[in-house]
């Protein structure tokens, strides 16, 4: 500090003595100034060189800081605006207040079943890096703050064992019980909160309202093996039934919770030890209706892109806007590789894979959505009675066109040509050849520790799979994923099946791996029960993808990525490497509505007792968020959906709330599917 002070004081000292010094002193002064000037120039040059060396890192940090700051600012503003919204939209936000004035009260107990990632998780046992987090949220609510404080520790504790799909040694993460665990997914982002508040307005509370929390990372049967979750749900429904005057329960599952409860329907009537031992008739006695919200009955294509490259349209867009940030080796992020390492330990991701193969999702040259219109503003609303399977012909030109039909059946295409050319013009896939190459999965020791299963593949096999003009359908993509993610697929396919049953009377379908696939199980014998398919429409939803080999082919990198440079015409369904169709932004209409529109309609092979099914669609209207939103999660606050649920819980039937309500082309899509019923 003293030397710095003298260095600053020296020019003033010299200046004050110039007039009374000799000529030699003057030369000394000039020399002193010259030395100082030379030193300053040297420092400036060194600083400039140092700045040049760090400019790349500084730019990356600046971009990352800017994006993070912007995100948190928007999150803060959104959270701060919630009280304003709650105050000024109370009449619309609370349809229960109006219905209560009309005399409506809750009659049937209600069970809510959350979907994937919307249920909270808390820590019960962890590694030293997680000290102080006992029974603290790791997922949901404020749990995401741990991602910023200790990211690698957070990811380690959310991972499951790569071989068993259960807890890793020394780690126990469990679902948060009760309504508190799933009312908000993050501060300011409601999931069940608005619905719960409306149910409370018409008389619901702890004795007749229950959140069926479960660990959404596990396979459905493993939730019973580890936590006895299915047994506890069975006991809870029986208790609510008895405590509320033998009133049947209304079940409201959301997203993946739909498949989870479908699994429960089969499990509860199956004899022990595989099932719950409720016996035939249990569902008929205890369940009034199942109101499925945003159901992914037949899976979602975005599950494929998640397993293949840990991305969907949003990640791909961000990658294009800020190339190198997510994959930055300099910053040490490698975010997508970390996401892939964790998510590939979750068996639940495989439960969301497309079901029904090419029969449902289409082949190389056909799909149920052929001639689909991507200008959603041209859609018209029409209403059908349960017995009416006809479409108003006056709407045909508004809904369909014959122009450059999209080949949706090619869920994964490497290169734009592979997504548009006729199959006869494409080379034969070489997957079978690659799968029999025993040397193709030799571990590359030069990569060091294998971050993902891609590090265990040879560069040659990676190149052959991702060669241009290759395409994969809902049938062949399973071979693709078994090759690039063998540990995950071998583990998860012991718990899930994605085909179509050839004979449901075959004893093999009594195994739990088939119970969450509506095409490989029978609904229970419960003719008085009702099933609703309730979902949003009119929102572009991911249906298939155009991929390319990643330009970064280094070790510990994901070798494939969505090609965001690929676009179609102005009115095309192809945008930034993603083909879009109608849906709720996450689940295509085909997956959400087919079973209620056709698969279970009347007495069918899959619905032998003729349970009544209803398609209830909610059209997207501006604004795209809030009480009128129909996106996959925001629809939980949609006032029209909430009113339907309240009326069903108060005793109304599907006919009494209006029967089918259809905006989309789901009936036409269903007619195009040749499925034996």
């Amino acid at each position: 500090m003293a030397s710095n002070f003298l260095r600053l004081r020296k020019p003033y000292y010299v200046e004050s003595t110039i007039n009374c010094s000799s000529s030699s002193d003057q030369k000394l002064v000039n020399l002193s100034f010259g030395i100082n000037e030379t030193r300053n120039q040297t420092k400036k040059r060194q600083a400039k060189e140092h700045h040049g060396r760090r400019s790349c890192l500084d730019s990356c940090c600046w971009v990352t800081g800017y994006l993070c700051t912007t995100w948190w600012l928007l999150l803060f503003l959104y959270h701060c605006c919630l009280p304003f919204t709650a105050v000024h939209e109370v009449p619309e936000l609370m349809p229960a207040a109006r219905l209560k004035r009309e005399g409506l009260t809750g009659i049937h107990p209600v069970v809510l079943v959350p979907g994937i990632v919307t249920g909270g998780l808390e820590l019960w046992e962890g590694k030293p890096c997680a000290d102080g987090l006992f029974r603290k949220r790791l997922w949901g609510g404020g749990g995401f703050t741990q991602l910023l404080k200790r990211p690698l520790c957070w990811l380690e504790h959310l991972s499951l064992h790569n071989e068993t799909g259960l807890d890793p040694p020394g780690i126990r993460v469990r679902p948060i019980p009760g309504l508190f665990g799933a009312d908000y997914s993050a501060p300011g982002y409601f999931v069940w909160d608005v619905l719960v508040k409306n149910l409370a307005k018409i008389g619901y509370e702890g004795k007749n309202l229950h959140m069926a929390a479960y660990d959404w990372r596990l396979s459905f049967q493993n939730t019973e093996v580890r936590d006895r979750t299915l047994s506890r749900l069975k006991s809870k429904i029986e208790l609510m039934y008895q405590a509320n005057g033998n009133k049947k329960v209304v079940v409201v599952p959301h997203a993946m919770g739909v498949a989870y409860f479908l699994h429960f329907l089969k499990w509860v009537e199956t004899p022990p030890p595989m099932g719950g031992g409720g016996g035939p008739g249990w569902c008929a006695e205890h369940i009034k209706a199942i109101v499925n919200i945003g159901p992914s009955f037949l899976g979602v294509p975005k599950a494929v892109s998640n397993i293949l490259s840990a991305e969907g349209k949003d990640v791909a867009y961000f990658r294009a806007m800020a190339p190198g940030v997510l994959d930055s080796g300099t910053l040490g992020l490698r975010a997508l590789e970390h996401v892939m390492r964790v998510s590939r330990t979750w068996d639940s991701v495989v439960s969301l894979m497309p079901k029904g193969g090419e029969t449902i999702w289409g082949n190389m040259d056909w799909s149920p959505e052929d001639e689909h219109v991507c200008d959603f503003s041209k859609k018209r609303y029409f209403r059908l009675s349960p017995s009416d399977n006809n479409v108003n012909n006056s709407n045909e030109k508004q809904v369909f066109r014959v122009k450059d039909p999209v080949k949706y059946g090619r869920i994964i295409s490497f290169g734009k040509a592979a997504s548009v050319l006729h199959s006869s013009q494409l080379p034969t896939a070489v997957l079978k050849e690659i799968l029999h190459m025993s040397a193709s999965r030799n571990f590359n020791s030069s990569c060091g520790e294998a971050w993902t299963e891609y590090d265990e593949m040879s560069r040659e096999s990676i190149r052959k799979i991702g060669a241009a003009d290759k395409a994969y359908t809902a049938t062949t993509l399973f071979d693709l994923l078994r090759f690039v993610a063998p540990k995950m697929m071998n583990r998860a396919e012991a718990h899930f099946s994605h085909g179509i049953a050839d004979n449901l009377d075959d004893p093999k379908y009594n195994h739990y791996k088939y119970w969450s696939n509506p095409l490989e199980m029978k609904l229970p014998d419960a003719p008085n029960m009702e099933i609703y398919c309730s979902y949003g429409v009119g929102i572009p939803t991911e249906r298939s993808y155009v991929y390319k080999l990643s330009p970064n082919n280094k070790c510990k990198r994901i070798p494939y990525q969505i090609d965001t440079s690929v676009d179609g015409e102005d009115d095309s369904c192809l945008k930034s490497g993603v083909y879009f169709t109608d849906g709720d932004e996450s689940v295509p209409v085909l997956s959400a509505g087919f079973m209620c529109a056709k698969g279970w309609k009347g007495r069918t092979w899959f619905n032998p007792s003729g349970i009544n099914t209803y398609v209830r669609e909610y059209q997207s209207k501006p604004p795209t968020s809030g009480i009128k939103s129909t996106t996959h999660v925001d629809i939980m606050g949609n006032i029209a959906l909430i009113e339907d649920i309240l009326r069903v819980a108060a005793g109304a039937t599907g006919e009494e709330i209006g029967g089918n309500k259809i905006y989309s082309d789901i009936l036409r899509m269903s007619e195009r599917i040749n499925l034996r019923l």
Side-chain angles (χ1 to χ4, degrees):
M1 284 294 293
S3 63
N4 291 336
F5 177 77
L6 290 175
R7 191 175 295 119
L8 289 171
R9 295 290 298 172
K10 187 173 183 179
Y12 297 97
Y13 171 79
V14 173
E15 185 178 2
S16 64
T17 58
I18 284 180
N19 295 330
C20 58
S21 58
S22 63
S23 61
S24 60
D25 293 335
Q26 183 67 36
K27 292 179 180 179
L28 183 61
V29 171
N30 293 337
L31 178 62
S32 176
F33 276 106
I35 292 173
N36 289 336
E37 184 177 359
T38 301
R39 287 176 177 173
N40 291 336
Q41 291 176 350
T42 301
K43 289 179 180 179
K44 289 180 179 180
R45 185 175 68 254
Q46 291 175 346
K48 186 175 181 180
E49 292 174 353
H50 183 65
H51 175 74
R53 289 194 300 269
R54 296 187 59 189
S55 61
C56 180
L57 178 60
D58 292 342
S59 298
C60 292
C61 291
W62 183 88
V63 170
T64 304
Y66 175 80
L67 292 172
C68 292
T69 302
T70 303
W71 168 255
W72 287 111
L73 177 61
L74 292 174
L75 181 62
F76 174 78
L77 292 175
Y78 181 85
H79 184 59
C80 289
C81 288
L82 283 180
F84 178 86
T85 301
V87 170
H88 291 275
E89 294 184 345
V90 165
E92 296 181 340
L93 193 62
M94 288 291 189
R98 171 175 52 84
L99 295 176
K100 184 178 181 179
R101 289 194 298 270
E102 297 174 2
L104 186 139
T105 59
I107 295 176
H108 296 273
V110 173
V111 172
L112 311 176
V113 186
I116 191 170
V117 309
T118 56
L121 300 174
E122 62 185 9
L123 183 69
W124 280 80
E125 180 184 5
K127 298 294 180 69
C129 67
D131 284 347
L133 295 182
F134 176 68
R135 293 204 64 199
K136 297 291 180 61
R137 282 179 181 255
L138 290 186
W139 188 277
F144 298 112
T145 57
Q146 299 305 322
L147 174 61
L148 302 177
K149 295 179 181 178
R150 34 189 144 187
L152 295 181
C153 182
W154 183 78
L155 290 168
E156 180 184 9
H157 284 75
L158 283 177
S159 300
L160 295 170
H161 195 280
N162 218 358
E163 294 181 3
T164 65
L166 296 169
D167 293 326
I171 294 177
R172 283 186 295 147
V173 174
R174 296 294 181 264
I176 299 174
L179 298 171
F180 178 70
D183 50 0
Y184 282 86
S185 62
Y189 290 87
F190 69 84
V191 181
W192 294 94
D193 182 70
V194 177
L195 176 58
V196 170
K197 287 178 179 176
N198 277 273
L199 287 167
K201 285 283 185 180
I202 61 170
Y204 283 91
E205 54 188 13
K207 70 177 182 181
N208 56 2
L209 180 62
H210 173 67
M211 178 70 72
Y214 63 99
D215 191 335
W216 44 261
R217 302 172 301 160
L218 302 176
S219 72
F220 302 154
Q221 193 68 10
N222 271 346
T223 64
E224 174 66 13
V225 171
R226 195 194 71 179
D227 300 335
R228 296 294 184 265
T229 304
L230 298 174
S231 294
R232 287 189 284 113
L233 177 56
K234 174 177 179 285
S235 298
K236 186 65 177 180
I237 290 176
E238 292 172 343
L239 177 62
M240 294 174 75
Y241 171 79
Q242 296 170 2
N244 290 275
N246 292 342
K247 296 294 183 181
K248 296 182 182 180
V249 173
V250 172
V251 183
V252 185
H254 174 241
M256 193 187 75
V258 170
Y260 184 76
F261 195 75
L262 198 63
H263 181 98
F264 173 84
L265 291 179
K266 192 71 176 179
W267 173 88
V268 73
E269 294 191 349
T270 299
M274 189 176 295
W282 188 95
C283 293
E285 180 181 357
H286 294 91
I287 300 176
K288 173 193 185 294
I290 307 172
V291 184
N292 300 291
I293 304 175
S296 53
F297 282 120
L298 302 179
V300 290
K302 67 192 309 181
V304 181
S305 65
N306 179 277
I307 297 174
L308 188 61
S309 61
E311 61 182 339
K313 66 177 178 66
D314 295 328
V315 174
Y317 291 169
F318 179 79
R319 220 177 190 175
M321 292 171 57
V325 174
L326 290 176
D327 306 309
S328 172
T330 305
L331 296 176
L333 295 180
R334 295 177 184 171
L336 298 183
E337 285 78 6
H338 283 298
V339 169
M340 177 173 285
R341 292 183 73 181
V342 175
S343 63
R344 282 194 178 183
T345 68
W346 300 344
D347 289 342
S348 58
V349 175
V350 177
S351 76
L352 295 171
M353 290 282 292
K355 302 177 179 72
E358 295 179 0
T359 300
I360 299 294
W361 295 94
N363 56 30
M364 294 288 284
D365 297 306
W366 168 88
S367 73
E369 299 103 325
D370 279 352
E371 302 169 355
H372 167 69
V373 171
C374 285
D375 183 358
F376 297 101
S377 63
K378 295 181 180 179
K379 302 279 185 176
R380 283 188 181 179
Y381 163 74
F382 60 92
R383 231 180 147 86
L384 296 177
S385 66
S387 61
D388 188 358
N389 290 320
N390 297 319
V391 180
N392 187 343
N393 291 329
S394 64
N395 287 333
E396 185 170 356
K397 292 182 180 179
Q398 298 285 342
V399 177
F400 281 89
R401 67 179 179 187
V402 182
K403 178 184 177 182
D404 299 330
V406 178
K407 294 177 172 55
Y408 284 118
R410 306 176 191 186
I411 293 180
I412 299 293
S413 302
F414 283 92
K416 183 177 180 179
S419 70
V420 296
L421 294 176
H422 191 273
S423 59
S424 61
Q425 298 176 264
L426 299 178
T428 304
V430 294
L431 259 182
K432 291 185 178 180
E433 173 190 339
I434 297 175
L435 288 170
H436 288 87
M437 292 171 57
S438 59
S440 63
R441 297 203 62 85
N442 289 342
F443 176 68
N444 187 350
S445 59
S446 63
C447 290
E449 178 191 0
W451 271 41
T452 69
E453 292 175 280
Y454 284 123
D455 292 331
E456 300 176 5
M457 295 174 60
S458 70
R459 299 293 103 179
E460 178 65 14
S461 60
I462 287 175
R463 187 194 63 79
K464 285 187 176 181
I465 287 176
D469 300 342
K470 297 292 192 301
Y472 302 90
T473 66
T475 297
T476 59
L477 64 82
F478 279 90
D479 289 332
L480 170 65
L481 297 179
R482 290 178 189 120
F483 186 75
V484 301
K487 293 178 183 177
M488 178 184 194
M489 296 302 289
N490 287 340
R491 184 188 67 243
E493 286 191 298
H495 291 266
F496 299 106
S497 179
H498 301 81
I500 299 176
D502 48 8
N503 179 12
L504 281 173
D505 294 326
D506 190 325
K508 78 173 186 178
Y509 291 109
N510 292 328
H511 191 274
Y512 59 75
K513 68 181 289 185
Y514 301 103
W515 294 350
S516 60
N517 182 356
L519 302 174
E520 293 182 304
M521 59 89 72
K522 292 180 181 179
L523 290 177
D525 184 7
N528 295 323
M529 191 171 77
E530 295 181 326
I531 296 179
Y532 298 81
C533 294
S534 306
Y535 53 90
V537 297
I539 304 174
T541 302
E542 295 165 63
R543 178 60 166 83
S544 57
Y545 306 88
V546 178
Y547 266 79
K548 68 176 181 179
L549 284 169
S550 174
N552 189 344
N553 60 357
K554 296 180 181 178
C555 295
K556 300 180 181 178
R557 293 291 190 273
I558 299 173
Y560 311 117
Q561 66 182 66
I562 296 173
D563 190 352
T564 54
S565 67
V566 176
D567 283 299
E569 300 175 0
D570 291 340
D571 59 349
S572 171
C573 297
L574 175 60
K575 301 293 182 184
S576 300
V578 181
Y579 282 99
F580 292 93
T581 187
D582 194 3
D584 67 0
E585 197 175 53
S586 292
V587 183
V589 164
L590 178 63
S591 177
F594 173 77
M595 293 310 298
C596 283
K598 182 176 181 179
W600 289 331
K601 201 66 178 176
R603 291 182 181 270
T604 70
W605 199 13
F606 308 107
N607 181 15
S609 67
I611 295 172
N612 286 329
T613 62
Y614 300 94
V615 177
R616 300 286 292 179
E617 295 184 343
Y618 304 87
Q619 192 174 37
S620 178
K621 298 178 181 179
T624 56
S625 62
I627 60 176
K628 295 183 179 179
S629 175
T630 63
T631 59
H632 188 61
V633 176
D634 284 354
I635 195 174
M636 304 290 282
N638 183 284
I639 57 173
L641 170 66
I642 290 175
E643 181 167 342
D644 283 351
I645 294 173
L646 297 179
R647 291 189 181 279
V648 172
T653 65
E655 292 288 342
E656 291 170 343
I657 66 170
N660 291 325
K661 184 177 68 174
I662 300 176
Y663 295 84
S664 73
D665 303 332
I666 184 59
L667 295 182
R668 293 183 183 274
M669 295 179 196
S670 300
E671 290 170 3
R672 291 171 176 263
I673 294 175
N674 184 18
L675 181 66
R676 185 163 65 95
L677 299 175

